[in-house]
Amino acid sequence: MQSYTIGQAARLLGVSPDTARRWADAGRITTHRDQGGRRLIEGRDLAAFSVELARAAPAEEDTPYTSARNAFPGIVTAIKLGDVAAQVEIQAGPHRLVSLLTREAVEDLGLEVGMEATARVKSTNVHIDRT
C-alpha cells in the first residue's frame, strides 16, 4: 500500500504541511515513522480522512482547485468493480469526482484506494491518470 509524507498529504488535501502536521499531532490522522524518521500516512487512512474532511468543510465557491487543463490531482477514495465496468471516486481537495470506466482500465492502471491519481475533466467526461 502506498504511504504519503506529511507534505504529499498536505498537497492532496489542499492545506499547508503545517496544518497536516498539526492534524497528525492532534491525532486526527494516524501516522507512522519510516526508517529515516519521516512521518508517513497510509493511503487508505488518507483517503478516508480526505472524505471526512470534505464532508465537514463548508462549500467555498471561490476556491480555485483546477488548472487550465482541468486536472484535479487527488487521492482515490473508492473503487466499485463490476464484471465489465468500474466506478472510481477521487477526492481532490474539496472536490469529489467520479469516473465511470472499464474494469480493464482500472486494472491496467493498477488503481487502489489510497493511491494518488489525477482526474481530468473534459465536458461531461472524467478521465483518470495514475500519478
Side-chain angles (χ1 to χ4, degrees), residues 10-15 62-67 70-74 91-95:
R11 183 178 53 81
L12 292 169
L13 295 171
V15 299
D62 61 343
T63 302
Y65 201 82
T66 183
S67 72
N70 297 319
F72 294 80
Q91 191 70 43
H95 308 291

Side-chain angles (χ1 to χ4, degrees), residues 1-9 11-12 29-32 34 38-48 74-76 79 109-118 129-131:
M1 173 51 57
Q2 186 166 350
S3 294
Y4 297 90
T5 65
I6 292 288
Q8 291 170 324
R11 183 178 53 81
L12 292 169
I29 189 160
T30 303
T31 63
H32 67 277
D34 67 6
R38 296 181 309 163
R39 288 201 298 185
L40 299 176
I41 301 168
E42 290 297 322
R44 287 189 182 276
D45 293 338
L46 183 59
I75 188 166
V76 176
I79 298 174
L109 288 169
L111 294 177
E112 295 179 11
V113 171
M115 79 179 344
E116 189 174 355
T118 300
D129 297 336
R130 181 173 173 182
T131 49

Side-chain angles (χ1 to χ4, degrees), residues 10-97:
R11 183 178 53 81
L12 292 169
L13 295 171
V15 299
S16 73
D18 286 337
T19 297
R21 206 170 288 111
R22 280 192 298 272
W23 287 342
D25 290 343
R28 289 188 65 190
I29 189 160
T30 303
T31 63
H32 67 277
R33 295 207 182 259
D34 67 6
Q35 292 177 346
R38 296 181 309 163
R39 288 201 298 185
L40 299 176
I41 301 168
E42 290 297 322
R44 287 189 182 276
D45 293 338
L46 183 59
F49 183 72
S50 70
V51 171
E52 174 189 321
L53 191 63
R55 286 186 181 141
E60 296 182 29
E61 294 180 24
D62 61 343
T63 302
Y65 201 82
T66 183
S67 72
R69 299 183 73 191
N70 297 319
F72 294 80
I75 188 166
V76 176
T77 58
I79 298 174
K80 296 176 186 167
L81 294 175
D83 291 337
V84 176
Q87 177 179 311
V88 177
E89 295 181 22
I90 292 180
Q91 191 70 43
H95 308 291
R96 176 180 165 262
L97 295 110

